[in-house]
Amino acid sequence: MKDSTVKHTHTNLLINEKSPYLLQHAHNPVNWFAWGEGAFSKAKREGKPVFLSVGYS
């Protein structure tokens, strides 16, 4: 059971996802995006590459 009183220093957009895998990374100090148009639009707008993580757990 998770402790709901834990304070996190970082929270990224994965906090809004349903996938248990993505949710376990929602407090990483990385601005992760789930696969989708938002990620690609931001990368294009900022002229940055997309770093893709396919998972490892």
Side-chain angles (χ1 to χ4, degrees):
M1 180 160 75
K2 291 189 177 184
D3 182 354
S4 62
T5 63
V6 173
K7 300 291 182 202
H8 297 281
T9 306
H10 303 281
T11 301
N12 58 45
L13 293 173
L14 297 183
I15 197 69
N16 299 315
E17 297 299 317
K18 293 182 174 122
S19 162
Y21 175 76
L22 294 179
L23 287 170
Q24 73 182 351
H25 298 288
H27 297 292
N28 292 164
V30 175
N31 193 19
W32 293 117
F33 279 68
W35 182 268
E37 189 55 39
F40 297 110
S41 295
K42 182 174 172 65
K44 185 175 183 178
R45 187 172 57 251
E46 296 181 4
K48 294 179 180 176
V50 172
F51 177 78
L52 175 65
S53 174
V54 295
Y56 53 85
S57 63

